[in-house]
Amino acid sequence: MRPLIRLTAATAVTAGFVAVLLPLAGPSSAATASLSCGVSYADTNDWGTGFTAAVTITDTGSAAIPGWTLGFAYSGNQTLQSGWNGNWSQSGQRVTVTAPSWSGGIAAGAGYTTDANFGYSGGNSAPTAFTVDGVACGTGAGPSPSPSASASASASPTPTPSPTPSPSASGTPTAPAGSAPELQVSGNKLVDSTGRTVTLHGVNRSGAEFSCVQGDGIFDGPVDQASVSAMTAWGINAVRVPLNEDCWLGLSDVDAAYAGGNYITAIKDYVSLLHQNGLVAILDLHWTDGVYTGNSSACSSATATCQKPMPDAAGAIPFWTSVASTFKGDDATVFDLFNEPYPDRAASTAAQAWTCWRDGGSCPGIGYQVAGMQSMVNAVRSTGADNVLMLGGLAYSNDLSQWPAYEPTDPDHDLVASWHSYNFNTCSNASCWNSQVAPVLAQVPLVTGELGENDCAAGYLDSLLPWLDQEGASYLAWTWNTWDCSSGPALISDYSGTPTAYGAGFKAHLAALG
């Protein structure tokens, strides 16, 4: 599914919205007089020329702090780059952070963590004195913050806090003990390390494919423990995370705060959080480089700002080499090699399209060198990674008719057919499923990487999901984002997990599975 690209504030209704942060009223003298606080500071990720600072404010008094202004100063040349979970600013060596508009304050005895990236040269001494609303706070009090999931600030007022839970006024739940199953292919089934069949029932978590390249952050909405707990409450066991080629590779068209090491660390932290909650992670190459202006073109840009018919060899091969090296040995992470191929919209014949899909190179109607599925399989395996690989078919992964005939060679025999199914697709009825999809899933595992409907209802799910269950197929619904479900399939209206009408249908089906 293609997330709708945010072009202006007026068009931002489907993929987040532009925050208007109003000034917070200052605390009353009575409130300031009774305020009691502690602050703990941690440099959670220092890469030599920059670092991530996490600051936790703890309310050590008997009354809540409804709104707050944190102040401290550095002794060196630390320079603010971006902050999140608070409104960060700097004047000289002095740093000020105010509560975000969505914050409910800090309850008595609770804490709140806010984070930021800084650049520096020379020494990087930690600040030693902190104030909240002008009141000096003790240092070292309260819980220590943990590394943040996102080294970025979001343009949305929705928070993007750390994946390892820090105490908050809302009582962030604690991550449950446990681990996600390590997967491999056995015949036409996914199995865990004990040989037990695993069927994935999950959701997509869109954002990391577009927010970074649009300059809004790394994720769209929160990626903390509370947001993951809301997912697991639905009974899911897998989350698909779309990625952006340019952001992962740290290319020059992306703000450095949201690219390269910052982006990779954020994705690693989120995958780790998912695993801690027993969830399989699926990493999907969603937006890639290459100029394509032919049939069904989504944009004319050479950079990874939209969905292209096939990935570019110049970027996709180093992308998968890097991703595979990063997650090698983590078999609870699956690699979805390319989101929704559509070389059939550029080629004249099905044979040309399927050959392009598998072999890449110079493809009819595509003006750049294509990374075919075989070359991406080879790139992953060259690192020693044995992760399960998902391969979507033609027609935006809706056409699997010749998938077995063009299946790439994999020395590890860990390939899965990825299928996308929406009510507006060509193959959207039981007759097509039985004739085109069932023969594929009789030979290899099938994961429906995306499914949904664009009418904010669940009628299509009511026919599709029972069929997939009957066939033993895995599936993940698009998408766990708070967009307008009538503009695109959005499961939730808020990140606490309140379902839309469409989401209610999916949630009810999962509940019925037990």
Side-chain angles (χ1 to χ4, degrees), residues 179-274:
S179 60
E182 297 182 344
L183 300 179
Q184 62 185 50
V185 171
S186 177
N188 69 340
K189 303 294 183 185
L190 288 172
V191 298
D192 64 14
S193 57
T194 69
R196 180 181 63 90
T197 296
V198 176
T199 304
L200 303 179
H201 298 135
V203 298
N204 285 263
R205 183 67 180 87
S206 181
E209 76 273 36
F210 64 83
S211 289
C212 55
V213 78
Q214 293 175 7
D216 295 332
I218 292 179
F219 297 103
D220 179 49
V223 288
D224 59 351
Q225 179 57 48
S227 65
V228 175
S229 294
M231 292 179 180
T232 58
W234 282 35
I236 70 167
N237 61 2
V239 176
R240 182 171 177 261
V241 184
L243 301 181
N244 184 291
E245 178 180 288
D246 288 5
C247 299
W248 183 279
L249 296 175
L251 301 190
S252 59
D253 57 294
V254 186
D255 188 324
Y258 315 137
N262 290 338
Y263 186 84
I264 292 170
T265 297
I267 301 303
K268 287 171 61 179
D269 288 345
Y270 190 48
V271 168
S272 177
L273 178 64
L274 295 175

Side-chain angles (χ1 to χ4, degrees), residues 183-400:
L183 300 179
Q184 62 185 50
V185 171
S186 177
N188 69 340
K189 303 294 183 185
L190 288 172
V191 298
D192 64 14
S193 57
T194 69
R196 180 181 63 90
T197 296
V198 176
T199 304
L200 303 179
H201 298 135
V203 298
N204 285 263
R205 183 67 180 87
S206 181
E209 76 273 36
F210 64 83
S211 289
C212 55
V213 78
Q214 293 175 7
D216 295 332
I218 292 179
F219 297 103
D220 179 49
V223 288
D224 59 351
Q225 179 57 48
S227 65
V228 175
S229 294
M231 292 179 180
T232 58
W234 282 35
I236 70 167
N237 61 2
V239 176
R240 182 171 177 261
V241 184
L243 301 181
N244 184 291
E245 178 180 288
D246 288 5
C247 299
W248 183 279
L249 296 175
L251 301 190
S252 59
D253 57 294
V254 186
D255 188 324
Y258 315 137
N262 290 338
Y263 186 84
I264 292 170
T265 297
I267 301 303
K268 287 171 61 179
D269 288 345
Y270 190 48
V271 168
S272 177
L273 178 64
L274 295 175
H275 289 347
Q276 290 168 28
N277 285 266
L279 301 175
V280 169
I282 300 174
L283 299 181
D284 147 52
L285 177 54
H286 214 84
W287 282 7
T288 55
D289 286 349
V291 175
Y292 175 73
T293 57
N295 189 24
S296 301
S297 171
C299 67
S300 60
S301 173
T303 56
T305 56
C306 71
Q307 193 163 277
K308 308 297 171 66
M310 284 294 289
D312 63 312
I317 300 306
F319 170 88
W320 277 120
T321 301
S322 176
V323 172
S325 298
T326 301
F327 291 96
K328 178 172 61 178
D330 174 12
D331 289 343
T333 296
V334 174
F335 301 152
D336 190 344
L337 294 183
F338 187 59
N339 173 46
E340 290 184 341
Y342 60 98
D344 46 306
R345 302 298 177 94
S348 301
T349 68
Q352 288 177 337
W354 280 106
T355 299
C356 175
W357 178 87
R358 182 190 61 199
D359 300 337
S362 297
C363 292
I366 301 176
Y368 54 88
Q369 288 292 301
V370 165
M373 292 294 177
Q374 184 65 69
S375 63
M376 290 188 286
V377 171
N378 295 346
V380 172
R381 297 301 181 229
S382 71
T383 68
D386 61 358
N387 304 65
V388 169
L389 306 180
M390 290 169 55
L391 286 67
L394 300 187
Y396 301 96
S397 294
N398 185 241
D399 177 7
L400 298 182

